[in-house]
Amino acid sequence: DFGMDLAACIELFEKPMGLLPILEEETIYPKANDQTFEAKLKAQHLGKHNNFVKACSKTDRDAHFAVVHYAGTVSYNVTGWLDKNRDPINDTVVDLLKKTSSCKLMNEIYADHPGQTKEEEDLPPPGHRRGKKRVVVKSKTAAKMANFKTVCSYFRDQLNNLINMLMTTEPSFIRCIVPNNHKKPGVVDPFLVMHQLTCNGVLEGIRICRKGFPNRVIYADFRSRYAILAPKEAHKAMKAVKRPVTEEKKNIAATHAVMDKVNLVGDKFQYGHTKIFFRAGIL
């Protein structure tokens, strides 16, 4: 972990009474607002958790708190978090989109959304009486709360599904580097970039890679690409191949001839059975 363990930061977000559980809790309370959410976060974590700190007023005046991530300190503004997490949408509109027969895409998008409650669906049209058969359900509020899912809960479900999928595959990772803390194009903070490269193991990987022979080329490809560096020597070496003559032997002989002409010194390359290996940056 290069001296920076991420477990404490992850626990700050996910564990009980962490940032996300408190956000879920405040979202459910009808009287909660941005101020009560901010106050609860600070009362629970400020001064008690090393990764939860006060926001720096110089870099972000509107921030309410900051979290110390591995790549640096990130400021957060909680304005509108509760409303965004609730993601309110009219149930009648959702129900209409769920049951539309002209657009299957809408059916798929809102398939998991509860839509209208059973009690609302059973209401008779205007001017008509309700039938004798009545469906016993919970109150409208209780029914909605039972089916209520926040944006945060959707995100956590998607994240869990993604992790389960990654555990069953062999993924390739893309390293994302933040160039600066001011969100300005064309501005690169060298210290910030080097800090991220150190923390995510890129520099360590390069160091390990340079100690070995990361660049490798099969003899046939090497001959086709680099025989132009020593065409006469390569042709002569292929003619001198002992019987039985094979293409593999010709390729190896041509490779040896080219490398003799280039005259690389030291341990910058090595011959293998089917490939030639190079140190980083030689090719």
Side-chain angles (χ1 to χ4, degrees):
D1 58 9
F2 306 101
M4 302 187 72
D5 193 356
L6 302 182
C9 190
I10 295 174
E11 289 178 358
L12 173 63
F13 277 90
E14 292 190 346
K15 291 295 181 180
M17 295 308 295
L19 268 64
L20 296 182
I22 291 177
L23 174 61
E24 291 287 272
E25 185 178 284
E26 289 293 292
T27 302
I28 296 175
Y29 289 155
K31 294 183 179 180
N33 53 41
D34 295 336
Q35 288 73 30
T36 60
F37 174 50
E38 178 189 356
K40 196 166 187 177
L41 287 177
K42 291 181 177 180
Q44 185 68 30
H45 298 293
L46 190 60
K48 302 176 183 178
H49 200 291
N50 295 332
N51 294 78
F52 190 95
V53 296
K54 289 183 178 180
C56 181
S57 58
K58 294 181 180 180
T59 57
D60 193 348
R61 297 179 180 178
D62 298 327
H64 297 122
F65 66 91
V67 175
V68 182
H69 295 272
Y70 79 94
T73 302
V74 181
S75 300
Y76 292 90
N77 186 316
V78 300
T79 303
W81 278 28
L82 299 182
D83 289 335
K84 292 176 182 177
N85 194 38
R86 293 188 186 101
D87 191 24
I89 186 171
N90 189 282
D91 291 339
T92 306
V93 176
V94 173
D95 207 56
L96 182 65
L97 295 174
K98 284 180 64 175
K99 297 178 179 179
T100 182
S101 58
S102 58
C103 184
K104 292 184 179 180
L105 178 61
M106 291 294 106
N107 300 146
E108 295 181 8
I109 291 176
Y110 293 101
D112 296 333
H113 197 286
Q116 286 182 321
T117 62
K118 185 66 178 174
E119 183 179 292
E120 291 171 331
E121 291 178 350
D122 290 338
L123 289 175
H128 293 74
R129 293 183 178 180
R130 183 189 292 273
K132 294 182 180 180
K133 185 178 180 180
R134 299 187 65 181
V135 180
V136 179
V137 296
K138 298 178 181 179
S139 66
K140 184 187 298 185
T141 304
K144 284 187 176 180
M145 292 304 296
N147 294 322
F148 179 67
K149 289 195 71 174
T150 61
V151 174
C152 185
S153 61
Y154 274 115
F155 171 76
R156 296 186 69 173
D157 291 342
Q158 292 175 352
L159 183 60
N160 290 332
N161 293 333
L162 175 62
I163 292 176
N164 293 333
M165 182 181 68
L166 291 177
M167 294 297 290
T168 59
T169 58
E170 296 181 1
S172 298
F173 294 96
I174 298 174
R175 301 291 186 182
C176 298
I177 305 298
V178 179
N180 62 78
N181 286 326
H182 308 290
K183 300 180 181 179
K184 293 183 178 180
V187 178
V188 177
D189 184 347
F191 177 78
L192 178 62
V193 172
M194 288 299 296
H195 183 63
Q196 294 174 81
L197 292 175
T198 302
C199 292
N200 62 22
V202 172
L203 296 183
E204 184 70 8
I206 293 174
R207 185 184 67 80
I208 295 172
C209 186
R210 289 181 66 87
K211 282 191 172 183
F213 296 87
N215 298 327
R216 55 201 69 183
V217 186
I218 62 175
Y219 288 119
D221 288 348
F222 187 89
R223 171 191 164 188
S224 64
R225 293 180 185 180
Y226 302 107
I228 192 174
L229 298 176
K232 294 181 180 179
E233 291 81 355
H235 182 71
K236 184 178 179 180
M238 288 189 291
K239 278 193 171 183
V241 172
K242 295 181 180 180
R243 294 184 179 181
V245 179
T246 62
E247 282 297 317
E248 185 65 19
K249 288 184 177 180
K250 287 183 178 181
N251 295 331
I252 295 174
T255 301
H256 279 260
V258 171
M259 295 308 299
D260 291 341
K261 178 68 178 295
V262 173
N263 194 24
L264 280 178
V265 295
D267 60 344
K268 295 182 179 180
F269 72 97
Q270 290 288 337
Y271 295 111
H273 292 294
T274 60
K275 300 175 182 178
I276 180 170
F277 298 81
F278 293 92
R279 295 282 190 191
I282 299 300
L283 281 180

